[in-house]
Amino acid sequence: QVQLVESGGGLVQAGGSLKLSCAAAGIIFRLPRMGWYRQAPGRQRELVAEITSGGRPNYADSVKGRFTISRDNDKNAVYLVMDSLSPGDTAVYYCNGATAVDNLVARNYWGQGIQVTVSS
């Protein structure tokens, strides 16, 4: 069974940093697209950042310049370095892996979610 295993969340003060990690298990091929979504209380789940196996990133406007996404294709892992965190970043963060770049044909795998809480 395919699993996305997340780690690195927690509680941090405003202005601090966290690194999220996610590794895919149970598959033997590279996922063409991996990324991170988040859902805050009372909000819809939203894309934070994503990256292709070729290293092409895409960021939500709200995190541009603060978050950096990267991946290790050999490990089928994706990472998110979050700098200059603010309380508005508080959410449950979900790792995502897709079997195609195009969402119309992709099968998506999801992590269980990891809590990130930023205190003021």
Side-chain angles (χ1 to χ4, degrees), residues 23-117:
I27 55 176
I28 60 174
F29 57 90
R30 289 186 301 170
L31 291 167
R33 193 185 79 241
M34 298 187 75
W36 293 91
Y37 290 69
R38 68 186 181 188
Q39 186 168 18
R43 298 276 188 170
Q44 298 286 326
R45 184 179 297 189
E46 64 178 357
L47 173 70
V48 178
E50 59 187 357
I51 188 169
T52 68
S53 60
R56 184 173 66 255
N58 182 44
Y59 296 95
D61 288 341
S62 61
V63 307
K64 285 181 179 178
R66 299 189 298 122
F67 292 9
T68 303
I69 192 168
S70 62
R71 64 181 291 167
D72 185 335
N73 290 331
D74 292 335
K75 295 180 172 64
N76 245 345
V78 63
Y79 311 96
L80 186 69
V81 175
M82 303 182 292
D83 294 321
S84 301
L85 285 162
S86 69
D89 296 313
T90 296
V92 176
Y93 285 69
Y94 297 89
C95 181
N96 168 258
T99 59
V101 174
D102 189 344
N103 279 330
L104 294 177
V105 299
R107 179 178 181 179
N108 283 278
Y109 300 100
W110 295 94
Q112 291 295 305
I114 187 165
Q115 180 70 47
V116 172
T117 302

